[in-house]
Structure formats: C-alpha cells, structure tokens
C-alpha cells in the first residue's frame, strides 16, 4: 500500500474512532499503531508502542525534564485554589470595580484573568469561580444567564494567560521554547480579558436590569483589598516573571512557585494536610490523563511524519495555488468543527503534527501558531454543543440549564472572534514580545 495513502487512512481512522466515542488516547494509539503495522510491519509497530513511553519519561532526559513542568503547574494551581487565594482575588477585583454597574461580572473577568496567571487550566478556573463568583452575583440579583456566561467565558482565559498548560504541551509537540510561547500569549491574553470587560460594559448599558448596582467602597478599602492579593502576585513573579528575568528555567520556576504556594498556604493557616493531599491527588489524576494522551499523540505524530502526510498537504496547497489567507480560513473552520466535540488538549495533539509544517510553508511563525491554536481553543471551550467550561459551570449550578449558559456566553464569543481576526491580520500581536525578550 502506498505510504501516503496509509497516512490518509490513519487520519480518517482516527476521526472515525473519535466519532465512535473511543477515548482520545486510545484512538491515537490504535490509529498510530495500525498505521505503523501497515507500513512497517507489526514488529516495528509494537516496538514503537513500547519505546515511546520510555523515551518520554526516561530515555531522553531533556524531554523527560521538560515534561515535569506539567504536573508542577497543575499542583501550584490546585494548591492556590484550596488556599482560598481565589476568594481573596475576587474580593480585590470586586473592590476595584465597586460602584460600577456590572461590577461583580467585571470582577469575575478580572479575577479569572489574574488567577489564570498561576493556574494554567480553564476547567480549574471555571470550576473555582463558579463557587466564588456566581453565589455573589445571585445574591445581588444578577441575571443567571449573564452570570454563568461570564464565568464560563472568563474561565477560558486559563489556557491563554501564562502559565498555560496548552502552551506547555504545544512547546513539547512543536519543539518551541516555553518562555517564548508564554511571552507570545501575554498580550493576546490581556487583550481578551479587556475585551470581555468591555462586553460587560456594553451589556450593562443595554440591559441594566440584569446587573444591579453594588455599593461603592472607599478608596482605603479598595487599597486594602488589593494588598490582599500579594500571595498571587508573588507566585506570578516566581512562575512567569522569573523565567523572563533568567532566574529560573520553566521547570525550576514551576517547582519554586509550587513549593512557595504550599508554604504560603500553611503559614497563613488557609491550607492543611488534607488540602495538600487533595491537591496532590488532583495533580496525579490530571497529569496521568494528559500523559496518556501525549503518549498516544507521539505515536500518531511519528506515523504522520513517516507517511509524509504533512508534505502531501503542503504540495496540495501549492498545486491548488491557495493563498495563505485561504489556508488560515480552512484551519479556522477545522478547529471550529473539532472544538464542537473535542477538548482542547486532544485537538492540539491531533492537529499540530499535521498542520505545523503547512503553517511554516506559507510563512507563518510557529510561535504565532501556538497562540493562534490556543485562541481557537478558547472558542471551542464555550461553543456549543460541547463547551467544556459551560459543562463545568452547569455541574456546579445544576439548577441552571445548559441552554441558559450557552446563551450567556454568546456575547463573549464576539470578543474571541475579534481577537482571532486581530491575530491573523496583525501577527506581531503574538510575535513582538518574544522578539524583544
């Protein structure tokens, strides 16, 4: 059988398995292994299946060391969540916006953006602020469509604002520096948070009855509330700023920040042994799930390289004389489709090995593409019918229907689309900061 045809059949087989609801890690392993068997024989296929996990965890010290950043950042976010840092952050953001219509919703956006700077997970961010922000908005009579939509949308900032787990995994797959990817995502992440706050401001003008006014706090109280977020500020300096200043490597920064989070939690009596244990269990479960998917993705991506499927894709684009913008439009459509039934890690691991060579061939920067993929993931996280942060918010608030939450996120989707257009029309939004650091 022709080697290129085997690559095409492997991609089709992967999509079929996913539609049959086979777990994504198993779908990647099955399609990759069968493809290897068809092209190289069962001996090579089984040796590859056995060697990839070993190479990722021990045989290649550089790769194994890079992977340690994933559980460390997960652990830091889990500890911060259990040490009540999210509540302190929300109180500070609420104090800043107090006296403005929509203050609690704007505070939700601001606190999710700041919490994302130490968490790195959209699901964790959405789950945390479902417990923190929605009860407060319900207490002050906010419309639940708007309240739940704001939390679900703001939760997506967790994968865009550094340190982002999606960007960490992209750096491993694309072999691009984590520090540059973090820098590239900083400006788009801040812009998206600002755009979400502007959406709140517009909705407050159009539908004031959905956002009752909250009392204005004196400036002394606002300053006191802001000083209360010193814990998160310290963790952000260690986890992100420390990398850019050359104090730590990404893995060292994650380790130092994780240890500091535990010390702060214990010293302030906001974290006990049970909280540390729960954070550890959450870290192990999440990391195991991610690594299982990554192993499957590496087997599948090696097959894709072997079959030269990306090269065939590049040749097809050249033969059809497609412009770079037509290619980008097709990729946007692909991610929108995949985002309706896949979570963001699976989407990234499936598509990047295939699309990255194509992106490079039409003149786009792989660092830019990492941010582009992440922004597309934020769209997938809140777009129907399978928006993961929407489901997370609904699981925390079962009395609110999924339809209500999806209606609530629709205005925020416009902000995502505008950021996406800005990235495509003006790539320096993502490439300028890495170039000067």
């Amino acid at each position: 059988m022709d080697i290129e045809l085997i690559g095409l059949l492997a991609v089709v087989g992967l999509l079929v398995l996913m539609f049959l609801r086979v777990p994504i890690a198993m779908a990647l392993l099955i399609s990759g292994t069968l493809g290897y068997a068809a092209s190289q024989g069962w001996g090579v296929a089984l040796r590859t299946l056995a060697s990839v996990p070993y190479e990722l965890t021990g045989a290649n010290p550089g790769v194994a060391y890079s992977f340690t950043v994933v559980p460390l950042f997960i652990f830091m976010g889990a500890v911060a969540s259990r040490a009540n840092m999210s509540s302190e952050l929300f109180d500070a953001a609420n104090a800043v916006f107090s006296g403005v219509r929509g203050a609690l919703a704007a505070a939700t956006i601001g606190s999710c953006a700041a919490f994302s700077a130490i968490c790195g997970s959209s699901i964790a961010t959405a789950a945390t602020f479902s417990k923190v922000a929605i009860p407060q908005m319900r207490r002050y009579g906010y419309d639940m469509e708007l309240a739940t939509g704001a939390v679900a949308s703001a939760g997506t900032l967790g994968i865009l604002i550094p340190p982002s787990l999606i960007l960490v995994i992209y750096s491993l797959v694309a072999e691009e520096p984590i520090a540059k990817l973090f820098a590239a995502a900083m400006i788009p992440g801040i812009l998206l948070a600002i755009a979400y706050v502007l959406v709140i401001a517009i909705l407050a003008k159009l539908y004031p009855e959905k956002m009752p006014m909250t009392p204005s706090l004196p400036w002394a109280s606002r300053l006191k509330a802001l000083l209360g977020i010193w814990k998160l500020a310290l963790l952000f300096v260690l986890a992100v700023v420390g990398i850019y200043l050359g104090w730590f490597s990404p893995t060292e920064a994650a380790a130092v920040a994780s240890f500091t989070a535990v010390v702060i939690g214990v010293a302030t009596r906001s974290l006990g042994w049970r909280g540390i244990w729960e954070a550890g269990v959450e870290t192990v479960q999440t990391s195991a799930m991610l690594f299982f998917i990554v192993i499957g993705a590496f087997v599948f991506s090696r097959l894709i390289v072997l079959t030269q499927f990306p090269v065939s894709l590049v040749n097809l684009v050249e033969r059809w004389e497609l412009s770079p913008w037509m290619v980008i439009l097709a990729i946007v459509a692909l991610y929108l489709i995949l985002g309706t039934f896949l979570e963001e890690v699976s989407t990234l691991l499936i598509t990047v090995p295939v699309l990255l060579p194509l992106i490079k061939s039409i003149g786009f920067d792989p660092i830019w593409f990492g941010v582009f993929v992440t922004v597309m993931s934020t769209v997938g996280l809140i777009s129907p019918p399978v928006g993961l942060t929407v489901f997370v918010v609904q699981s925390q608030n079962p009395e609110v229907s999924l339809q209500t939450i999806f209606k609530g996120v629709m205005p925020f989707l416009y902000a995502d689309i505008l950021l996406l257009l800005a990235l495509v029309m003006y790539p320096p939004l993502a490439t300028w900061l890495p170039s000067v650091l």
Side-chain angles (χ1 to χ4, degrees):
M1 187 182 298
D2 183 71
I3 192 75
E4 294 180 357
L5 179 59
I6 291 174
L8 176 61
L9 291 175
V11 173
V12 172
L14 174 63
L15 294 175
V16 170
L17 288 171
M18 289 189 303
F19 277 115
L20 293 175
R21 310 297 294 177
V22 175
I24 185 64
M26 289 304 301
L28 287 163
L29 284 170
I30 291 170
S31 55
T33 303
L34 290 179
Y36 258 105
S39 60
Q40 304 291 308
W42 277 105
V44 174
L46 294 177
R47 282 197 297 273
T48 300
L49 185 61
S51 65
V52 167
Y54 175 63
E55 291 174 8
L56 292 179
T57 56
N60 189 329
V63 174
Y65 179 73
S66 298
F67 267 95
T68 57
V69 74
V70 176
L72 288 170
F73 275 133
I74 294 173
F75 183 66
M76 180 179 66
V79 168
S81 177
R82 285 166 174 79
N84 297 324
M85 295 184 193
S86 55
S87 299
E88 296 168 349
L89 182 58
F90 181 76
D91 291 341
N94 186 34
V96 170
F97 289 105
S98 65
V100 177
R101 188 172 297 280
L104 289 175
T108 299
I109 304 299
S111 52
C112 282
F115 190 73
S116 299
I118 63 160
C119 180
S121 167
S122 287
I123 293 175
T125 302
T128 298
F129 284 93
S130 288
K131 302 172 186 174
V132 173
I134 290 179
Q136 290 293 326
M137 286 190 273
R138 180 183 281 113
R139 175 187 168 195
Y140 280 95
Y142 271 61
D143 178 75
M144 277 297 98
E145 180 182 301
L146 184 140
T148 54
V151 173
S153 301
T156 66
L157 296 169
I159 63 167
L160 184 56
I161 295 176
S164 161
L165 289 179
I166 285 290
L167 290 173
V168 170
I169 294 172
Y170 177 87
S171 75
L172 296 170
V173 176
E175 298 182 350
E176 295 293 336
I178 294 177
K180 286 188 175 293
L181 285 163
F182 281 0
M186 188 67 71
I187 293 176
I190 293 171
L191 288 177
L192 185 58
I194 293 172
Y196 282 168
V197 173
L198 290 176
V199 169
I200 294 294
I202 293 170
L203 292 175
K205 287 285 186 182
L206 296 176
Y207 309 103
E209 71 280 0
K210 292 186 176 184
M211 305 180 216
M213 291 277 285
T214 54
S216 178
L217 295 177
W219 285 104
S221 299
R222 300 186 191 197
L223 181 59
K224 183 179 178 181
L226 279 175
L227 291 175
I229 64 170
W230 65 270
K231 306 170 190 175
L232 287 172
L234 176 59
L235 294 181
F236 178 74
V237 168
L238 294 174
V240 180
V241 178
I243 297 174
Y244 302 136
L245 295 180
W247 296 348
F248 315 112
S249 70
T251 302
E252 290 168 346
V256 171
S258 297
F259 178 73
T260 303
V262 174
V263 171
I264 290 174
V266 173
T268 58
R269 300 178 181 272
S270 57
L271 184 71
W273 287 112
R274 180 175 180 179
I276 296 173
W277 172 261
E278 290 176 350
V281 170
E282 179 184 331
T283 300
V284 170
Q285 291 174 337
T286 305
S287 299
M289 179 268 293
L290 288 175
F291 287 161
F292 193 20
I293 296 174
V294 168
I295 288 169
F298 267 74
V299 172
F300 182 76
S301 63
R302 287 190 179 187
L303 172 68
I304 292 299
V305 172
L306 176 69
T307 60
Q308 297 186 323
F309 184 75
V311 176
S312 302
L313 199 60
V314 171
N315 293 336
L316 185 65
V317 169
E318 292 175 349
R319 192 179 309 126
W320 286 359
E321 298 181 349
L322 298 177
S323 70
W325 306 115
M326 293 175 67
V327 174
I328 292 296
L329 186 62
I331 291 174
V332 168
L334 173 65
Y335 276 107
L336 288 176
I337 294 170
L338 292 177
T340 61
F341 62 92
L342 281 179
E343 46 83 28
E344 67 273 15
V345 174
S346 303
T347 302
L348 181 148
L349 291 171
I350 291 168
T351 56
V352 169
V354 177
L355 296 178
L356 188 56
L358 176 61
I359 285 295
K360 291 179 179 178
S361 74
I362 60 175
F364 282 92
D365 191 305
I367 295 291
W368 172 89
F369 188 57
V371 178
F372 172 85
V373 168
T374 306
V375 173
M376 286 303 308
S377 297
T378 67
V379 175
L381 282 168
I382 55 176
S383 60
V386 186
L388 281 186
T389 59
V390 172
F391 280 93
V392 168
V393 171
Q394 202 273 334
S395 69
Q396 303 283 343
N397 301 270
E399 74 283 359
V400 183
S401 69
L402 282 173
Q403 182 181 6
T404 297
I405 305 174
F406 274 122
K407 286 174 65 178
V409 302
M410 285 303 158
F412 298 96
L413 270 174
Y414 293 114
D416 288 276
I417 293 169
L418 285 175
L419 177 60
L420 192 63
L421 289 174
L423 272 175
V424 173
M425 300 302 295
Y426 190 66
L429 274 178
T431 57
W432 174 76
L433 191 56
S435 69
V436 300
L437 291 176

